[in-house]
Amino acid sequence: QVQLVEFGGGSVQAGGSLRLSCAASGSIFSIYDMGWHRQAPGNQRELVASITSGGYTNYADSVKGRFTISRDNAKNVVYLQMNSLKPEDTAVYYCTADILYSQGRRANYWGQGTQVTVSS
């Protein structure tokens, strides 16, 4: 089985920073794209940032210049550094990973989510 576990959520004042981490574990052969999504109350889940295995990144317009996604392929970990946080960044953040696992099977996995709360 494959599991994604997130760390690093919490509460911070506007203008502050948080760093999220997500570790993938299990019978993993390879990880393709990894990313972070978020969902605020009453809103649809949205893509925040993604990164390919080669390090190419993509960001939502709302977080460009403030958030940075990175990954450690040796450790199967993806990070999201969030700076200059705004109240509208408040949401549950989910990590995702496109994983090739045992017996050549491939699937997209989601973490359990971690709450980020930004107060004004």
Side-chain angles (χ1 to χ4, degrees):
Q1 286 195 350
V2 174
Q3 189 176 20
L4 298 182
V5 179
E6 296 127 337
F7 305 92
S11 298
V12 65
Q13 289 191 329
S17 298
L18 284 174
R19 189 191 195 207
L20 305 182
S21 303
C22 174
S25 62
S27 301
I28 297 171
F29 288 166
S30 184
I31 302 179
Y32 302 102
D33 291 1
M34 303 184 82
W36 291 92
H37 288 69
R38 68 185 180 186
Q39 187 168 20
N43 290 357
Q44 290 186 334
R45 194 171 294 187
E46 63 175 353
L47 175 66
V48 176
S50 63
I51 184 168
T52 68
S53 57
Y56 290 98
T57 59
N58 179 54
Y59 295 94
D61 288 343
S62 59
V63 306
K64 283 180 181 176
R66 300 188 298 120
F67 291 10
T68 302
I69 189 171
S70 60
R71 62 189 284 175
D72 185 331
N73 290 332
K75 297 181 179 178
N76 292 337
V77 175
V78 62
Y79 305 97
L80 186 67
Q81 178 66 43
M82 305 184 293
N83 298 329
S84 302
L85 282 160
K86 304 176 181 180
E88 51 263 43
D89 294 317
T90 296
V92 177
Y93 284 70
Y94 300 88
C95 76
T96 62
D98 182 5
I99 296 175
L100 181 68
Y101 60 105
S102 62
Q103 301 178 349
R105 297 175 183 172
R106 181 173 176 176
N108 197 55
Y109 285 87
W110 289 74
Q112 81 283 359
T114 186
Q115 177 70 45
V116 171
T117 302
V118 184
S119 58
S120 58

